[in-house]
Amino acid sequence: MAKLDLRVRLVGKLLARTSVARKSEEQILADQQRTIKHNPVLDWVLGGVASGVKMKDDTAAGAEGRIPVRVYRPKDAVGPLPLVVLIHGGGWTVGNLDIYDSLASTIARDARAVVVSLEYRLAPTHPWPAAAEDCYAALLEVAARADEWEADAGRLAVVGDSAGGNLAAVLTLMSRDRSGPAIAFQGLIYPATDMTLGSPSIEENANAPILTKEDVLRYGSLYVPNLEDRSNPYASPLLALDHTGLPPALIQVAEHDPIRDDGLRYAEALRKAGVPVRVTTYVGMPHGYLAFPRLCRSAPQALAELCAELRRQLAPATVR
């Protein structure tokens, strides 16, 4: 494998001090109550809000009540744009709209799309399937309200990273199985697709920076505490018996990632089912590299690839 950059190793050492594997449930719940607002340091690390994008806070249906959403649209856009539903990562236990402003606004600007970012209920208070059902309920309403945001629900994509990649993949299964909105494309960024931990990379990269095997085990136990549930395809989309009829996918994985093979194995399952897939392995990168665009050298390239695929897959039929 390619050598990790020194700055990536340093970020890993800093984040190791806050590893979820060392936290009690009480500490995790306390973390969820902390509000991290924009500031110069955070914006430098995470990228900040992209220029030329307007944002609006709103709500959408969850499975058991309204959930916060944030809508992003290029300021200079005219007419209906493709609709992208973005689902944040964080091991199903952390993450919020503010932290994902950079990713969401950059997609809106560079993919020329309306992006709706979702904030679902978090584990351990709300274990599986709360997050998945929240996201599906929101997907239904967001698609139904597309005209309100000058978006085209006929050009709909789902995008997510890590736990959000898991949820995005699950949404494509749910929407197919439940006759929900037609999803034209799925962008899965280092997704978790097998909650039964069947990927060899978990051992190979057990001590990787940013995400370790211990972290993976802890996140899984918090989100899907019942071992039997982990084989359910709405928890582990890789384990679905049938992947036919799912939308074309871009799957991006990181070389130094315990769940790297989750993405690679899912790509192979989609290909076997006849689903068009593009896979990119970012060498020398750890899990979560896209969250640190100024620290991880491959982050700009990966984001550009994602936005290019969104533009291509969601272009009007006459333009493709």
Side-chain angles (χ1 to χ4, degrees), residues 125-150:
T125 304
H126 304 287
W128 181 87
E133 295 294 349
D134 275 354
C135 290
Y136 183 70
L139 176 73
L140 296 178
E141 181 172 323
V142 167
R145 293 173 61 189
D147 289 347
E148 178 182 332
W149 300 309
E150 292 186 90

Side-chain angles (χ1 to χ4, degrees), residues 83-99:
L83 180 60
V84 177
V85 173
L86 176 65
I87 309 171
H88 71 74
W92 307 275
T93 67
V94 294
N96 59 44
L97 299 178
D98 289 335
I99 292 176

Side-chain angles (χ1 to χ4, degrees), residues 186-208:
Q186 53 181 322
L188 310 181
I189 306 164
Y190 31 81
T193 66
D194 181 6
M195 300 300 292
T196 68
L197 307 181
S199 289
S201 55
I202 291 176
E203 294 298 337
E204 181 184 352
N205 292 319
N207 298 309

Side-chain angles (χ1 to χ4, degrees), residues 36-54:
I36 303 177
K37 293 295 184 182
H38 287 282
N39 60 67
V41 174
L42 184 68
D43 287 349
W44 186 89
V45 173
L46 301 183
V49 179
S51 61
V53 176
K54 58 184 179 181

